[in-house]
Amino acid sequence: LIFEPETDPLDGRLAYQISPTELPLGDLVEVSIAYPSDTGEPERYCIARFQEGRALLVDSYVNRVNGRIVAYADRLGSYGLVQASNGLTPDLGNGDLMVLQNVPNPFAGSTTITFDVPKGGRVHAEVISVDGRIIRALVNDRFGPGRHSISWNGTDEHGREVASGVYLYRFRCNSRAITKKMVHLR
């Protein structure tokens, strides 16, 4: 992979090119960009991928220890910092659970969910239907600090493939709970 600074055509911001552009990756690549040193509110920034004149926001988090905004990309391309327009970027510096978007999404077959447990603790994760029924428990175990991944193969507790549609995945660790959406295709 080649990382090189470039100027974004949207507004002249400095962006970083991970070449070649727009190539899907088989795994996630960490994209870490220093936020402005004079900002008192780094949670107001997030990482975006620039594509066809648009800034596509990527799930990001603040790492205050390193003074950086971090995201995990599933494709090569141009990335840079933008002001978060959809709320505040989660702050990993406070030791909270961080759950990334599943990859691939939508998916047929299986998908992988990556999560960070900065302080360690018991993690409980489950897949839930949009009407609130628990479809499958993914994990209920103790994890040490660091990055972890689990997979879901689109089946329920009895091993039957679930219908196509939108499903939720909920993670709980210590006092934090995070819920995200995913789309399963049969």
Side-chain angles (χ1 to χ4, degrees):
L1 301 179
I2 301 169
F3 297 86
E4 51 191 70
E6 65 172 26
T7 302
D8 173 50
L10 286 176
D11 64 3
R13 289 177 293 214
L14 181 65
Y16 297 88
Q17 181 72 39
I18 308 173
S19 298
T21 62
E22 296 308 313
L23 179 67
L25 300 169
D27 203 357
L28 297 175
V29 172
E30 181 176 300
V31 177
S32 174
I33 302 174
Y35 55 79
S37 60
D38 60 347
T39 184
E41 298 180 307
E43 62 276 2
R44 298 214 177 268
Y45 289 90
C46 66
I47 291 177
R49 181 169 55 89
F50 302 115
Q51 177 184 354
E52 299 173 359
R54 297 179 309 167
L56 305 171
L57 301 183
V58 179
D59 279 343
S60 307
Y61 68 86
V62 177
N63 184 330
R64 290 181 188 271
V65 174
N66 296 329
R68 303 181 80 73
I69 307 294
V70 179
Y72 294 90
D74 64 350
R75 61 188 346 50
L76 303 177
S78 296
Y79 293 85
L81 283 184
V82 296
Q83 288 196 327
S85 61
N86 61 343
L88 301 178
T89 299
D91 189 340
L92 190 62
N94 61 12
D96 279 346
L97 170 71
M98 181 69 187
V99 179
L100 302 176
Q101 187 64 49
N102 64 301
V103 175
N105 188 35
F107 72 98
S110 69
T111 190
T112 300
I113 305 166
T114 301
F115 58 100
D116 287 329
V117 187
K119 293 181 180 175
R122 178 164 291 280
V123 175
H124 179 78
E126 57 200 359
V127 176
I128 305 165
S129 66
V130 291
D131 64 0
R133 291 179 297 115
I134 295 174
I135 301 298
R136 173 113 185 237
L138 297 174
V139 69
N140 186 13
D141 205 355
R142 189 163 234 354
F143 286 84
R147 166 143 301 163
H148 308 278
S149 293
I150 59 173
S151 293
W152 181 48
N153 63 0
T155 61
D156 64 13
E157 291 289 354
H158 304 287
R160 296 179 300 234
E161 186 175 8
V162 298
S164 293
V166 175
Y167 291 86
L168 306 173
Y169 55 98
R170 179 174 54 205
F171 277 70
R172 291 184 303 234
C173 181
N174 302 327
S175 61
R176 177 122 163 126
I178 297 175
T179 302
K180 293 196 173 204
K181 291 181 187 177
M182 62 182 158
V183 178
H184 178 255
L185 304 173
R186 262 183 113 159

